[in-house]
Amino acid sequence: MTLLRRGLPAAAFLLLAAGTAAAQEIRAGDLTISRTWSRAAGANGTGAGFLAIRNAGSQPDRLVAATAPVARTVELHTHVRDGEVMRMRPVEAGIPIPPGETVTLQPGGFHVMLIGLKEALRQGTEVPLTLRFERAGEVQVMLHVESAGARGPTAHSH
């Protein structure tokens, strides 16, 4: 019982520290990137990256590209209505990040497509993603992989 009692504070600290690390926000110039996540997906398939980008500056910025070592190709996408059907389409001009606003890349909206996965995205792991902004430059973030059907990040990944 003594070992269990001594171990509980240490375990609680480790859980808190892990949650704090995952909750970190990445800053690049006037931008703050948070809530970075993905869904589990199989090797050779397609995955997606989701995140929030806050522009605290007075100048607009634009997410112009992304790369990830886990995918053969990475594209910026959005959903558009084609008659009665929603379809994903590449965003050729990038994703605008207006000053004073937060743009959320999420299921059903803007997102980062990870095409031709070189390995499976396994729930509970993290994968690196490099974002390239017009003004803020390159920023590396980690996507926390949630379950295949996740609708958003869990508490420990934002």
Side-chain angles (χ1 to χ4, degrees), residues 57-76:
S58 59
Q59 298 293 317
D61 207 333
R62 179 177 303 276
L63 176 59
V64 294
T67 58
V70 72
R72 284 193 313 273
T73 304
V74 179
E75 298 177 353
L76 304 178

Side-chain angles (χ1 to χ4, degrees), residues 121-132:
L121 302 182
R122 300 190 196 291
Q123 183 177 357
T125 64
E126 291 187 326
V127 295
L129 175 70
T130 301
L131 306 169
R132 193 170 84 232

Side-chain angles (χ1 to χ4, degrees), residues 12-31:
F13 172 78
L14 288 175
L15 284 173
L16 180 61
T20 302
Q24 288 180 348
E25 298 176 331
I26 306 296
R27 296 185 193 275
D30 292 329
L31 304 181

Side-chain angles (χ1 to χ4, degrees), residues 20-103:
T20 302
Q24 288 180 348
E25 298 176 331
I26 306 296
R27 296 185 193 275
D30 292 329
L31 304 181
T32 301
I33 301 148
S34 62
R35 298 179 51 90
T36 56
W37 67 284
S38 185
R39 292 177 173 148
N44 300 313
T46 301
F50 310 107
L51 50 109
I53 308 165
R54 170 90 179 132
N55 184 349
S58 59
Q59 298 293 317
D61 207 333
R62 179 177 303 276
L63 176 59
V64 294
T67 58
V70 72
R72 284 193 313 273
T73 304
V74 179
E75 298 177 353
L76 304 178
H77 275 218
T78 192
H79 280 86
V80 295
R81 182 171 294 284
D82 183 6
E84 296 298 316
V85 178
M86 292 300 287
R87 299 188 188 279
M88 284 186 278
R89 295 284 186 250
V91 178
E92 301 299 332
I95 300 171
I97 316 295
E101 293 189 25
T102 299
V103 175

